[in-house]
Amino acid sequence: FGLANNLGVAFAPLIGIWLVNQFGFLSLFSFAVSMGIVAFFLIFSINYQQDGKSNHDQEIEENQAQQENREDEKGKRVQLESNVLNLFRGLVEKETLFPSTLMMLMTITYGGIVSFITLFGLEVGIENVGWYFLANALTLMLIRPLAGILFDKKGHRWVLIPGALFSALGLFVLSSTQSVLGLITAA
């Protein structure tokens, strides 16, 4: 799933910037809407089953459980209190605070890059900054399988800390780049 997501991250900006440069924004929006429509209809081809039960069977069981809870008002209050308590216990897992914080910082940073890299490219004279996204995604596709093995053997700190350091270095290179080669290096 992660590698397939990287393909979209790699090619979408490259294609989108090319479409805007060649044909204008109308072609970009038309392409995006048509891809959204195709994706919408592809949703109906998904047949998800869990534990040998279809979604419809699970919905029937959930509805029956809800009806039983409605019959016993006192049991319903106890069940609701239990669900709320479980929600709060499950909302914050102490072991995930460090990786989650790093991920939040990375996604905020990536959002800034996605939002402003085109303007940055115009300012420094780089015509198609989509190469940044392609190089970034290809690098992720090469590193992710190795990082997964390292994560499983050594733990999350062996992957997240070097990843954060390399990301900071990439941002520094990006901030001072003047060429496509620098853009690819930053990615």
Side-chain angles (χ1 to χ4, degrees):
F1 173 78
L3 292 176
N5 188 40
N6 287 343
L7 288 175
V9 170
F11 291 107
L14 189 66
I15 293 168
I17 292 169
W18 178 79
L19 279 171
V20 168
N21 288 342
Q22 294 297 315
F23 305 107
F25 279 102
L26 181 61
S27 66
L28 175 67
F29 289 122
S30 299
F31 183 73
V33 167
S34 64
M35 290 294 102
I37 291 169
V38 168
F40 176 77
F41 285 109
L42 286 175
I43 288 172
F44 297 109
S45 69
I46 297 172
N47 186 13
Y48 176 73
Q49 291 186 356
Q50 184 178 2
D51 299 330
K53 298 177 185 174
S54 70
N55 286 342
H56 181 68
D57 293 337
Q58 289 176 353
E59 288 175 7
I60 291 172
E61 289 179 9
E62 289 173 5
N63 286 339
Q64 289 172 348
Q66 287 176 355
Q67 287 175 355
E68 291 172 7
N69 284 342
R70 285 186 198 121
E71 293 173 5
D72 185 7
E73 187 63 35
K74 186 176 180 182
K76 183 178 179 184
R77 262 187 259 126
V78 171
Q79 181 69 31
L80 180 62
E81 290 170 5
S82 175
N83 287 344
V84 169
L85 187 59
N86 287 336
L87 173 68
F88 286 117
R89 284 184 186 153
L91 193 58
V92 176
E93 180 65 37
K94 291 178 185 176
E95 293 178 8
T96 64
L97 287 177
F98 175 69
S100 299
T101 302
L102 275 179
M103 193 64 189
M104 179 188 69
L105 294 173
M106 295 299 299
T107 53
I108 289 170
T109 304
Y110 191 73
I113 291 171
V114 169
S115 299
F116 297 108
I117 198 165
T118 303
L119 297 174
F120 172 77
L122 289 173
E123 188 172 310
V124 298
I126 300 172
E127 190 171 315
N128 190 348
V129 293
W131 292 108
Y132 173 86
F133 298 104
L134 180 62
N136 184 265
L138 291 175
T139 303
L140 286 173
M141 290 180 75
L142 291 173
I143 290 173
R144 190 169 281 206
L146 301 173
I149 293 168
L150 184 62
F151 185 96
D152 290 341
K153 289 184 178 181
K154 297 278 190 171
H156 68 273
R157 294 188 192 279
W158 285 83
V159 175
L160 295 179
I161 293 172
L165 292 174
F166 277 111
S167 295
L169 180 63
L171 286 172
F172 177 74
V173 171
L174 181 62
S175 71
S176 60
T177 191
Q178 300 288 320
S179 66
V180 173
L181 181 61
L183 202 65
I184 290 171
T185 304

